[in-house]
Amino acid sequence: MITFFNAKHVHHQGAVEMFRGALLPCFEVAARVERVRDELRRRRLGAIEEPSPFDDAVSHRVHAPRYVDFLRGAWDEWVALNPAHENRDALPSVWSVRHFSFDVGTPLTRGAWRAARSGAACALSAAESVRSGAAQSAFALTRPPGRYSGYDFFGGYCFLNNAAIAAQALRDGGVERVAVLDVDYYHGNGTQCLFYDRDDVFFMSIHGDPRTEYPFFLGYADEEGAADGNGCNLNIPLPRGTEFSAWRAALAHGLRAIAGFRADAFVVSLGVDTFEADPISGFRLRSEDYLRVGEDLARAGLPTVFMMEGGYAVDEIGVNVANVLEGFEACRS
């Protein structure tokens, strides 16, 4: 497996976020991907490379051009309002009827655009390596994550939707049917919105029940797609406290649905905040369980692009992500 690492992620580090009524230090920190990179190196799980450059217009295949323009210039506009903003992250606090952000938990920093743009490059490089046949599987190791960002909005720590950008690149490169499997603890509302009315991309998510878990307004089991995409969206919400046996049964159900869709390639939004010690999530998977997750994903037998998403137990994140990839590679060899 080849890994594309976003070295520019360090330019984005929020100071605080709003989490369930409290202003707290950000959970989405630089050490997350660095721990994963170090563990991949330790286990020698394939080459780690820089992504190839790309034109921002590629992002317009997924995101609104005006939204991409906003992200590119938002920090300069923020500082122009008041020079004191130079040392203060931008957190949205007032909404018009339609705003670019949907929560108050995603600080927009000086380096957010630079980090997010390089993350999209990782997604595109990983997708191209798989599409071209240069690799059967690839991993975009990047932060900030991407799955909550939609056509013209950010939130949930996410600015550009890396999984959707990869899926669209596969389609544009001639792959007829793409499946996006989201295994993060929280529902990937942005990815769902981007493909909800399409029949060429199947979106499937296992996540905490949105009646009690973020993002609350999407992720319910009755959301099955619309128009041409009817039947191409599958949500499996599970209660807080779910252990691996029940979670794995949900994964098996989702993989059967993806097989029925007859996907030609696979994008996996790989969040490991399903871990039992994750500080902001509620499932009960253990580190050894992630080996089994990787094996189950490998049995789908599809060219696969992995996308780094959530996971906030920093001390264990490297082991948990590497276990998924090691289990996947062992089953494929």
Side-chain angles (χ1 to χ4, degrees):
M1 181 178 298
I2 185 171
T3 293
F4 294 93
F5 179 67
N6 178 11
K8 295 179 181 177
H9 78 92
V10 295
H11 296 287
H12 171 65
Q13 179 55 63
V16 293
E17 66 176 78
M18 182 69 74
F19 180 73
R20 299 199 174 192
L23 201 60
L24 301 173
C26 285
F27 292 100
E28 205 287 290
V29 296
R32 296 175 59 245
V33 296
E34 291 165 359
R35 295 289 180 89
V36 175
R37 178 201 58 196
D38 293 347
E39 186 66 16
L40 296 182
R41 284 175 173 169
R42 190 185 71 80
R43 300 193 197 185
R44 299 180 179 177
L45 285 174
I48 299 177
E49 300 183 3
E50 293 184 0
S52 300
F54 74 102
D55 190 292
D56 288 339
V58 176
S59 301
H60 300 165
R61 297 286 292 134
V62 169
H63 294 290
R66 68 187 187 93
Y67 169 67
V68 175
D69 289 343
F70 162 76
L71 290 178
R72 186 187 296 110
W75 179 259
D76 290 340
E77 292 183 26
W78 169 244
V79 174
L81 288 172
N82 185 338
H85 290 172
E86 183 78 29
N87 300 310
R88 186 185 306 162
D89 293 348
L91 277 172
S93 58
V94 178
W95 277 263
S96 61
V97 174
R98 193 71 174 89
H99 187 68
F100 286 123
S101 175
F102 73 86
D103 71 9
V104 295
T106 308
L108 199 156
T109 70
R110 174 195 298 277
W113 168 248
R114 188 175 182 184
R117 187 174 184 274
S118 185
C122 289
L124 287 164
S125 294
E128 177 56 22
S129 68
V130 168
R131 187 209 63 79
S132 68
Q136 275 293 299
S137 58
F139 178 34
L141 177 52
T142 183
R143 57 169 291 276
R147 48 201 293 284
Y148 295 119
S149 54
Y151 180 65
D152 58 358
F153 59 82
F154 69 88
Y157 312 141
C158 304
F159 298 97
L160 295 176
N161 195 312
N162 300 316
I165 288 171
Q168 186 61 53
L170 290 169
R171 285 287 299 113
D172 291 343
V175 178
E176 290 191 12
R177 299 164 74 85
V178 178
V180 179
L181 171 61
D182 193 322
V183 295
D184 192 281
Y185 178 75
Y186 297 99
H187 179 256
N189 59 288
T191 313
Q192 173 172 304
C193 288
L194 286 164
F195 297 120
Y196 200 64
D197 60 356
R198 290 173 51 172
D199 62 2
D200 58 337
V201 178
F202 186 95
F203 176 70
M204 180 265 170
S205 176
I206 309 169
H207 51 268
D209 193 329
R211 290 179 299 178
T212 59
E213 306 296 337
Y214 184 95
F216 304 108
F217 57 86
L218 282 180
Y220 295 87
D222 62 353
E223 296 160 11
E224 298 179 347
D228 291 343
N230 186 35
C232 295
N233 196 90
L234 175 63
N235 288 326
I236 306 180
L238 298 173
R240 178 171 282 265
T242 293
E243 297 188 354
F244 183 54
S245 58
W247 189 94
R248 194 179 192 186
L251 176 62
H253 175 62
L255 290 172
R256 287 194 295 271
I258 288 170
F261 178 70
R262 303 188 309 280
D264 301 300
F266 211 6
V267 175
V268 178
S269 277
L270 181 55
V272 292
D273 46 0
T274 51
F275 181 55
E276 61 183 352
D278 194 274
I280 59 174
S281 303
F283 289 164
R284 294 289 180 264
L285 276 66
R286 300 178 178 179
S287 290
E288 58 268 26
D289 295 332
Y290 292 106
L291 289 163
R292 309 288 85 78
V293 173
E295 292 167 358
D296 290 350
L297 296 174
R299 292 190 185 101
L302 294 171
T304 303
V305 178
F306 288 93
M307 208 63 53
M308 186 70 215
E309 301 283 7
Y312 308 99
V314 175
D315 288 344
E316 297 90 354
I317 191 172
V319 169
N320 293 341
V321 171
N323 278 357
V324 174
L325 303 183
E326 184 173 285
F328 182 91
E329 290 288 270
C331 196
R332 280 286 185 92
S333 61

